[in-house]
Amino acid sequence: MIVVSTSYTDLPLARWRPHAAVLAFGAFAVGTDGFVVAGLLPAIAASLHVTVAAAGQLVTVFAIAYAVSAPVLAALTTSWPRRRVLVTALALFAAGNAVTALASGYGLVLASRVIAGAGAAMFTATATATAALLAGERQRGRAISTVILGATSSLVLGAPLGTVVGGLLDWRVTMWAVTALGLLAAPAIALRLPAVHGGGKGGLQAFLAPLRDRRIVAVLATTVVAFVAVYIPYAYISQIFAPAAPDGSTLAVLLLVFGLSGTAGNLTAGRLADRYGPRRVVVTVMLALAVALVLTPLGRDVFAAAVAAVVVIGFLSFSITAPQQHLVITMAGPGAGTVTALYQSALYLAVSLSGAAGAIGLEWQGPASLPWLAAPLAAAAAALTAVASRRLPR
């Protein structure tokens, strides 16, 4: 059995890619669950005899459970072997989705989304930190981007397919399919992943340790700012490009293009982070995104121009995820498991804030102004990243 130390100065595992691919498959299952429910809301509402707005709270509850439980579960399990954490997370995730598929009442379905969200948070944070550890410092960005590829693939493939299955058969069939994905990933991780140890003490001390480092706190705060800038245009893409994509089919094309260009951006950024350093990549990407967002309203009336704008925005939006995690993992060292969980919480906080900020901008200035609302935040994230990763003391 291969045992990999938690020390970031040790030699990396020679063949980390197959293990990162297994972790990416688990991320695909988790990501599909996070995205697919939104496409099933009308069917869920009809089945449970509630309004679509009430059914929409399943998405909200999942996100809140994810954000709150990620750092807590990471702290409680930081001394566990990573393989045990990952398998336990997938078991929790599968159990939550199985209950969702079986439940006949709205209350139980809500509770099941809490369980699934906790399992998803526990898996994603641990998977990215484990892949980074297996690959070693020189290839850390590529390893993280491989795991993230599973999540972006769920946006491009998993969620649309799940929505189609739910429409043709039943939404519960889709939830069973998501459950099966989680169960398929668990034995592969249990049997194939090397023994990677957490190497730390659990509990409150593990939770608070990363928060004592001012650089890490600054990067987490920057993550919130950066992803509010990313998710405002994504959340309201249907409104921003309504003149060019007025119906469902044209909007679906834009969403597909966004997912595909985002996947390319993620893979490219992982390699660039390894070559040039994560700080430089994040600063460059966020500045480029700010410029792209300023120019976006110019292409909202013509479909070809809208596609071009979405290609650029999608590529840049997904180009910060791997470098940003690379940056915070490098700062955390052996505490990466907990800090990646805090990173996931920051990300989901940004998702919530972007919805509220976008709604205010939509109400006050209209959809054309939303990219201009996001652009200053992207520029601010670039400036904060430059400061947080270089000058702030521990």
Side-chain angles (χ1 to χ4, degrees):
M1 179 180 294
I2 301 173
V3 179
V4 180
S5 168
T6 55
S7 173
Y8 281 81
T9 59
D10 288 347
L11 291 175
L13 188 68
R15 297 181 66 250
W16 59 265
R17 287 180 177 82
H19 306 298
V22 171
L23 295 172
F25 180 74
F28 175 79
V30 168
T32 298
D33 189 32
F35 290 121
V36 77
V37 171
L40 300 173
L41 291 181
I44 293 174
S47 175
L48 299 178
H49 306 292
V50 297
T51 64
V52 173
Q57 298 312 301
L58 301 180
V59 178
T60 303
V61 166
F62 183 93
I64 292 173
Y66 194 116
V68 172
S69 64
V72 175
L73 292 175
L76 293 175
T77 61
T78 191
S79 61
W80 292 16
R82 301 297 87 187
R83 193 161 51 195
R84 184 196 302 174
V85 177
L86 291 163
V87 172
T88 301
L90 287 173
L92 190 64
F93 169 79
N97 280 285
V99 173
T100 302
L102 290 169
S104 58
Y106 178 67
L108 185 56
V109 172
L110 276 178
S112 72
R113 301 315 295 157
V114 173
I115 298 171
M122 189 176 177
F123 179 86
T124 304
T126 306
T128 52
T130 302
L133 180 58
L134 290 172
E137 185 175 355
R138 291 186 178 181
Q139 301 186 82
R140 188 176 297 160
R142 274 169 279 191
I144 295 170
S145 65
T146 299
V147 176
I148 296 171
L149 176 62
T152 56
S153 297
S154 70
L155 176 62
V156 177
L157 297 174
L161 288 175
T163 302
V164 169
V165 170
L168 294 177
L169 300 174
D170 184 77
W171 68 270
R172 297 181 190 273
V173 175
T174 297
M175 303 315 298
W176 280 120
V178 173
T179 302
L181 288 174
L183 293 176
L184 284 173
I189 290 173
L191 296 174
R192 299 291 299 173
L193 193 72
V196 183
H197 295 288
K201 295 181 179 181
L204 183 62
Q205 183 178 0
F207 177 79
L208 294 177
L211 299 179
R212 298 190 184 102
D213 187 333
R214 291 178 61 189
R215 299 174 307 157
I216 291 177
V217 173
V219 171
L220 293 174
T222 303
T223 298
V224 175
V225 177
F227 280 99
V228 170
V230 167
Y231 279 103
I232 285 175
Y234 177 74
Y236 294 94
I237 188 173
S238 63
Q239 301 300 307
I240 293 171
F241 294 104
D247 52 60
S249 59
T250 49
L251 178 60
V253 171
L254 291 184
L255 290 172
L256 178 61
V257 168
F258 188 98
L260 290 174
S261 61
T263 299
N266 166 57
L267 294 175
T268 302
R271 291 181 176 274
L272 292 176
D274 288 334
R275 184 171 182 178
Y276 298 107
R279 172 185 166 275
R280 185 179 299 178
V281 174
V282 172
V283 171
T284 302
V285 166
M286 294 311 296
L287 288 176
L289 180 61
V291 173
L293 289 170
V294 169
L295 298 175
T296 292
L298 300 178
R300 64 187 301 260
D301 295 320
V302 180
F303 185 70
V307 170
V310 169
V311 167
V312 174
I313 293 173
F315 186 91
L316 294 171
S317 295
F318 278 94
S319 292
I320 64 169
T321 305
Q324 191 79 341
Q325 290 191 71
H326 188 310
L327 185 62
V328 78
I329 286 172
T330 300
M331 289 179 178
T338 302
V339 83
T340 52
L342 290 167
Y343 172 88
Q344 295 295 325
S345 289
L347 179 59
Y348 271 77
L349 174 60
V351 172
S352 301
L353 292 176
S354 65
I360 294 173
L362 192 65
E363 182 68 22
W364 284 359
Q365 298 294 329
S369 69
L370 293 181
W372 292 339
L373 175 64
L377 296 174
L384 290 171
T385 299
V387 173
S389 59
R390 171 178 282 185
R391 298 178 183 174
L392 284 179
R394 291 181 66 86

